[in-house]
Amino acid sequence: MTTDLQVKKFSYVFKWFDQNGDGWITQDDIEKMAKLFTALADEADQKNKSAMSQGFMNWWNLLLEAREDKASEKIGKQEFIRIMDAVVIAPKNFEIAVGNIVEGLLGALDRDGNGSLSKEEYVRMYDELGIPPTTSTEAFRRLDRDSDGEISRAEFHQALFEYYLSADPNAPGNWLLGPMDVLK
Ligand SMILES: [Ca+2]
Ligand SMILES: [Ca+2]
Ligand SMILES: [Ca+2]
């Protein structure tokens, strides 16, 4: 059962994915998203780039397979929310779609390769992905649960899972893409 908060979060993701703003998600939008993400990686960093591209393609295929109108290759907002809830957040699907993107993203952002994200490394994500940077300090503070000044791999994963799966309005992971009150 999807809660209002999850609907709000999925709506936000829908709006983000709909790169050309026409109210539908198509393969074109997904490819643009994949480009945005892979641009975060070093030129030579094929491993993380392909993890992210693969994640977006898997996500798109899950949407296509679960869509109602098989005659059209586009997904509207209500259907996106339905499929997110019914299909994408199921553990094995979540892993091949969102999980791949998260692994690749973490690897791409972790420039010094120490396995965790410094504030500097983390903030680059905001700049490059078009997330309003005004809240990045607050988000970093919340996601760094043990306050050691770095977002560890586990903390990053936990944030992602909470973002997509948690119905708790106070879950730190909700801050991943900025404060909830800016999500329209
Ligand atoms: Ca679109
Ligand atoms: Ca690092
Ligand atoms: Ca930490």
Side-chain angles (χ1 to χ4, degrees), residues 131-155:
I131 304 167
T134 47
T135 58
S136 57
T137 299
E138 179 68 5
F140 188 86
R141 192 179 66 73
R142 289 180 188 244
L143 300 187
D144 177 18
R145 284 165 214 247
D146 64 2
S147 307
D148 70 345
E150 294 261 318
I151 296 178
S152 67
R153 190 156 174 258
E155 286 169 339

Short mmCIF file of all heavy atoms in Angstrom, two decimals, residues 131-155:
data_model
loop_
_atom_site.label_atom_id
_atom_site.label_comp_id
_atom_site.label_asym_id
_atom_site.label_seq_id
_atom_site.Cartn_x
_atom_site.Cartn_y
_atom_site.Cartn_z
N ILE A 131 19.80 19.03 -8.87
CA ILE A 131 19.03 19.09 -7.63
C ILE A 131 19.37 20.42 -6.97
O ILE A 131 20.55 20.78 -6.88
CB ILE A 131 19.42 17.93 -6.68
CG1 ILE A 131 19.25 16.59 -7.38
CG2 ILE A 131 18.61 17.97 -5.39
CD1 ILE A 131 19.89 15.41 -6.65
N PRO A 132 18.36 21.18 -6.51
CA PRO A 132 18.68 22.48 -5.89
C PRO A 132 19.71 22.31 -4.78
O PRO A 132 19.50 21.53 -3.87
CB PRO A 132 17.33 22.95 -5.32
CG PRO A 132 16.30 22.20 -6.08
CD PRO A 132 16.93 20.89 -6.49
N PRO A 133 20.86 23.01 -4.86
CA PRO A 133 21.96 22.78 -3.92
C PRO A 133 21.76 23.46 -2.57
O PRO A 133 22.54 23.24 -1.65
CB PRO A 133 23.17 23.40 -4.64
CG PRO A 133 22.58 24.45 -5.52
CD PRO A 133 21.19 24.01 -5.88
N THR A 134 20.69 24.24 -2.43
CA THR A 134 20.49 25.01 -1.20
C THR A 134 20.44 24.15 0.04
O THR A 134 20.75 24.61 1.13
CB THR A 134 19.18 25.80 -1.27
OG1 THR A 134 18.16 24.92 -1.73
CG2 THR A 134 19.29 27.00 -2.18
N THR A 135 20.03 22.90 -0.10
CA THR A 135 19.84 22.07 1.08
C THR A 135 20.92 21.01 1.25
O THR A 135 20.81 20.13 2.10
CB THR A 135 18.49 21.34 0.98
OG1 THR A 135 18.52 20.57 -0.22
CG2 THR A 135 17.35 22.31 0.95
N SER A 136 21.98 21.10 0.46
CA SER A 136 22.94 20.00 0.47
C SER A 136 23.65 19.84 1.82
O SER A 136 23.93 18.72 2.24
CB SER A 136 23.96 20.18 -0.65
OG SER A 136 24.61 21.40 -0.54
N THR A 137 23.91 20.94 2.51
CA THR A 137 24.59 20.85 3.80
C THR A 137 23.71 20.12 4.82
O THR A 137 24.16 19.22 5.53
CB THR A 137 24.93 22.26 4.34
OG1 THR A 137 25.79 22.88 3.39
CG2 THR A 137 25.61 22.19 5.68
N GLU A 138 22.45 20.51 4.83
CA GLU A 138 21.49 19.88 5.74
C GLU A 138 21.31 18.39 5.37
O GLU A 138 21.29 17.52 6.25
CB GLU A 138 20.16 20.63 5.64
CG GLU A 138 19.04 20.07 6.51
CD GLU A 138 19.29 20.25 7.99
OE1 GLU A 138 20.28 20.90 8.35
OE2 GLU A 138 18.49 19.72 8.79
N ALA A 139 21.21 18.12 4.10
CA ALA A 139 21.03 16.73 3.66
C ALA A 139 22.24 15.89 4.06
O ALA A 139 22.11 14.79 4.58
CB ALA A 139 20.82 16.67 2.16
N PHE A 140 23.42 16.45 3.83
CA PHE A 140 24.65 15.72 4.17
C PHE A 140 24.68 15.39 5.67
O PHE A 140 24.97 14.28 6.07
CB PHE A 140 25.89 16.54 3.80
CG PHE A 140 27.18 15.78 3.96
CD1 PHE A 140 27.66 14.97 2.94
CD2 PHE A 140 27.90 15.84 5.14
CE1 PHE A 140 28.84 14.25 3.09
CE2 PHE A 140 29.08 15.13 5.31
CZ PHE A 140 29.55 14.33 4.27
N ARG A 141 24.32 16.38 6.47
CA ARG A 141 24.33 16.19 7.92
C ARG A 141 23.37 15.07 8.32
O ARG A 141 23.68 14.23 9.16
CB ARG A 141 23.91 17.50 8.60
CG ARG A 141 24.14 17.54 10.10
CD ARG A 141 23.73 18.88 10.69
NE ARG A 141 22.29 19.14 10.61
CZ ARG A 141 21.37 18.54 11.37
NH1 ARG A 141 21.73 17.66 12.27
NH2 ARG A 141 20.08 18.83 11.23
N ARG A 142 22.21 15.03 7.69
CA ARG A 142 21.23 14.01 8.06
C ARG A 142 21.61 12.62 7.56
O ARG A 142 21.34 11.62 8.22
CB ARG A 142 19.86 14.38 7.51
CG ARG A 142 19.25 15.54 8.26
CD ARG A 142 17.90 15.90 7.70
NE ARG A 142 17.41 17.12 8.28
CZ ARG A 142 16.33 17.21 9.03
NH1 ARG A 142 15.61 16.14 9.30
NH2 ARG A 142 15.94 18.37 9.54
N LEU A 143 22.20 12.59 6.37
CA LEU A 143 22.53 11.27 5.81
C LEU A 143 23.76 10.67 6.48
O LEU A 143 23.94 9.45 6.51
CB LEU A 143 22.72 11.35 4.30
CG LEU A 143 21.51 11.84 3.49
CD1 LEU A 143 21.78 11.72 2.00
CD2 LEU A 143 20.24 11.11 3.85
N ASP A 144 24.62 11.53 7.01
CA ASP A 144 25.81 11.08 7.74
C ASP A 144 25.39 10.72 9.17
O ASP A 144 25.60 11.47 10.11
CB ASP A 144 26.87 12.19 7.75
CG ASP A 144 28.09 11.80 8.57
OD1 ASP A 144 28.29 10.60 8.85
OD2 ASP A 144 28.85 12.72 8.94
N ARG A 145 24.78 9.55 9.31
CA ARG A 145 24.12 9.22 10.57
C ARG A 145 25.05 9.11 11.76
O ARG A 145 24.68 9.40 12.89
CB ARG A 145 23.36 7.90 10.44
CG ARG A 145 22.08 8.08 9.68
CD ARG A 145 21.55 6.74 9.26
NE ARG A 145 20.91 6.91 7.99
CZ ARG A 145 19.61 6.79 7.79
NH1 ARG A 145 18.81 6.46 8.76
NH2 ARG A 145 19.10 6.99 6.59
N ASP A 146 26.27 8.63 11.52
CA ASP A 146 27.18 8.49 12.65
C ASP A 146 28.06 9.72 12.81
O ASP A 146 28.98 9.74 13.63
CB ASP A 146 28.03 7.21 12.53
CG ASP A 146 28.94 7.25 11.31
OD1 ASP A 146 28.94 8.28 10.59
OD2 ASP A 146 29.66 6.26 11.08
N SER A 147 27.76 10.79 12.04
CA SER A 147 28.45 12.07 12.16
C SER A 147 29.97 11.98 12.11
O SER A 147 30.66 12.69 12.84
CB SER A 147 28.05 12.80 13.45
OG SER A 147 26.66 12.89 13.54
N ASP A 148 30.50 11.09 11.24
CA ASP A 148 31.96 11.02 11.15
C ASP A 148 32.49 11.87 9.99
O ASP A 148 33.68 11.82 9.66
CB ASP A 148 32.43 9.56 11.01
CG ASP A 148 32.06 8.96 9.66
OD1 ASP A 148 31.21 9.55 8.96
OD2 ASP A 148 32.63 7.91 9.30
N GLY A 149 31.60 12.66 9.38
CA GLY A 149 32.04 13.57 8.34
C GLY A 149 32.09 12.96 6.94
O GLY A 149 32.50 13.61 5.98
N GLU A 150 31.67 11.69 6.82
CA GLU A 150 31.66 11.01 5.53
C GLU A 150 30.35 10.22 5.41
O GLU A 150 29.86 9.68 6.40
CB GLU A 150 32.82 10.00 5.43
CG GLU A 150 34.21 10.60 5.44
CD GLU A 150 34.79 10.73 4.02
OE1 GLU A 150 34.64 9.81 3.21
OE2 GLU A 150 35.39 11.78 3.74
N ILE A 151 29.82 10.17 4.19
CA ILE A 151 28.69 9.28 3.97
C ILE A 151 29.25 7.95 3.48
O ILE A 151 29.83 7.87 2.39
CB ILE A 151 27.70 9.86 2.95
CG1 ILE A 151 27.08 11.16 3.50
CG2 ILE A 151 26.59 8.85 2.63
CD1 ILE A 151 26.13 11.86 2.56
N SER A 152 29.11 6.94 4.33
CA SER A 152 29.65 5.63 3.99
C SER A 152 28.74 4.95 2.97
O SER A 152 27.63 5.40 2.71
CB SER A 152 29.74 4.76 5.24
OG SER A 152 28.42 4.47 5.70
N ARG A 153 29.24 3.86 2.43
CA ARG A 153 28.47 3.08 1.48
C ARG A 153 27.14 2.65 2.11
O ARG A 153 26.08 2.76 1.51
CB ARG A 153 29.31 1.86 1.10
CG ARG A 153 28.77 1.09 -0.01
CD ARG A 153 29.87 0.28 -0.70
NE ARG A 153 29.22 -0.55 -1.68
CZ ARG A 153 28.99 -1.84 -1.49
NH1 ARG A 153 29.42 -2.43 -0.40
NH2 ARG A 153 28.34 -2.53 -2.40
N ALA A 154 27.20 2.18 3.34
CA ALA A 154 25.99 1.73 4.04
C ALA A 154 25.02 2.89 4.26
O ALA A 154 23.80 2.74 4.09
CB ALA A 154 26.36 1.09 5.37
N GLU A 155 25.56 4.05 4.61
CA GLU A 155 24.68 5.20 4.84
C GLU A 155 24.01 5.65 3.54
O GLU A 155 22.85 6.04 3.51
CB GLU A 155 25.48 6.36 5.46
CG GLU A 155 25.82 6.13 6.93
CD GLU A 155 26.84 7.13 7.50
OE1 GLU A 155 27.60 7.75 6.70
OE2 GLU A 155 26.89 7.27 8.72
#
